C-alpha cells in the first residue's frame, strides 16, 4: 500500500507540474491507463484502455506516467510475490489544473 501511494503521488505531482496543454490551452479530461512497473521501479509499459476522447491528452498522460518513474525498487516482501506490478489508473485532469489519480492493482 505504501508503494502504491508513493507511485500515485509521484504521478500526480508530475502531472500537476507538467499539466497538459496544446497551443497554449490547457487540456482537461479523464482516461484510464494500465501502467506496468518492473521490480526496479521502472515503468516498462503503459496502455490507455479508456480514452479521454482527446488523442493529445492521452499521449501526454502516457508521457507523464513514464516520466514520473522510476518509483524505487520493490521491497523484499513485494519481490517475493512479483517481479512486476500492473496498476490500473484513472487519470483526471481537472479545471483547477491538477492531476488526480485513482489506482487499483490488478
Amino acid at each position: 500500500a505504501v508503494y502504491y501511494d508513493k507511485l500515485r503521488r509521484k504521478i500526480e505531482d508530475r502531472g500537476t507540474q507538467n499539466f497538459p496543454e496544446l497551443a497554449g490551452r490547457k487540456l482537461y479530461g479523464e482516461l484510464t491507463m494500465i501502467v506496468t512497473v518492473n521490480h526496479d521501479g521502472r515503468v516498462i509499459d503503459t496502455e490507455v484502455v479508456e480514452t479521454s476522447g482527446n488523442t493529445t491528452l492521452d499521449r501526454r498522460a502516457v508521457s507523464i506516467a513514464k516520466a514520473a518513474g522510476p518509483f524505487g525498487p520493490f521491497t523484499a516482501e513485494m519481490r517475493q510475490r512479483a517481479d512486476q506490478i500492473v496498476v490500473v489508473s484513472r487519470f483526471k485532469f481537472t479545471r483547477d489544473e491538477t492531476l488526480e489519480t485513482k489506482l487499483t492493482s490488478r
Side-chain angles (χ1 to χ4, degrees):
V2 172
Y3 192 90
Y4 286 99
D5 190 55
K6 179 180 167 187
L7 185 145
R8 179 189 58 78
R9 281 195 322 270
K10 282 188 79 171
I11 291 173
E12 286 181 354
D13 289 348
R14 185 69 180 218
T16 298
Q17 291 168 9
N18 301 304
F19 200 85
E21 53 182 67
L22 179 63
R25 295 181 58 218
K26 303 291 184 186
L27 299 174
Y28 306 105
E30 295 183 46
L31 61 116
T32 302
M33 184 186 325
I34 296 173
V35 180
T36 305
V37 179
N38 201 29
H39 64 86
D40 60 4
R42 289 180 302 118
V43 175
I44 57 172
D45 192 33
T46 58
E47 178 187 358
V48 174
V49 292
E50 186 179 324
T51 180
S52 65
N54 181 322
T55 307
T56 301
L57 182 59
D58 293 352
R59 282 197 312 260
R60 299 277 164 83
V62 166
S63 295
I64 287 166
K66 289 179 178 178
F71 301 105
F74 289 5
T75 64
E77 181 182 325
M78 288 174 67
R79 194 65 202 275
Q80 286 176 349
R81 288 194 247 141
D83 289 328
Q84 300 173 347
I85 57 171
V86 177
V87 179
V88 179
S89 183
R90 183 80 178 157
F91 282 55
K92 183 177 183 181
F93 293 93
T94 68
R95 293 267 172 207
D96 60 357
E97 298 179 12
T98 59
L99 169 58
E100 299 172 0
T101 58
K102 186 177 212 176
L103 304 180
T104 55
S105 61
R106 206 166 173 202

